[in-house]
Amino acid sequence: MGRALFYRWLFFISGLIVLALGFTMIIKADRLGIGPWDVLNVGLFKNFGLTIGTWAILVGLAVIVSTMVFTRKIRKSAHS
């Protein structure tokens, strides 16, 4: 069990590294353009100074929290 868990974590961390490398390469490639969420994160980085990764985390958390609040309001009104 321990060995399988180790390989799962190794595969997971390797995937995150490859994903981060891909995002970095897309942002560095000026002529290809970047996706809309990356544009938002780069714009926040240039205007407010935190890193792009930090903004990605903060924006993701804001989306999750707003979705939780919104769906909770719908559930409460639907059951009332």
Side-chain angles (χ1 to χ4, degrees):
M1 179 78 171
R3 191 174 196 162
L5 185 62
F6 171 75
Y7 285 124
R8 289 173 75 186
W9 274 103
L10 182 65
F11 187 72
F12 176 70
I13 299 297
S14 300
L16 288 179
I17 290 171
V18 169
L19 185 68
L21 180 63
F23 284 142
T24 303
M25 292 173 67
I26 288 172
I27 290 172
K28 296 282 185 187
D30 293 334
R31 296 175 190 223
L32 295 177
I34 56 178
W37 286 107
D38 296 327
V39 169
L40 174 66
N41 297 327
V42 170
L44 289 169
F45 161 70
K46 288 185 177 182
N47 287 318
F48 299 110
L50 295 175
T51 64
I52 296 171
T54 303
W55 280 115
I57 292 168
L58 292 175
V59 169
L61 287 174
V63 169
I64 290 170
V65 169
S66 64
T67 302
M68 285 174 48
V69 169
F70 182 69
T71 56
R72 217 177 258 172
K73 286 184 181 177
I74 289 176
R75 279 190 212 154
K76 285 182 180 178
S77 64
H79 291 292
S80 299

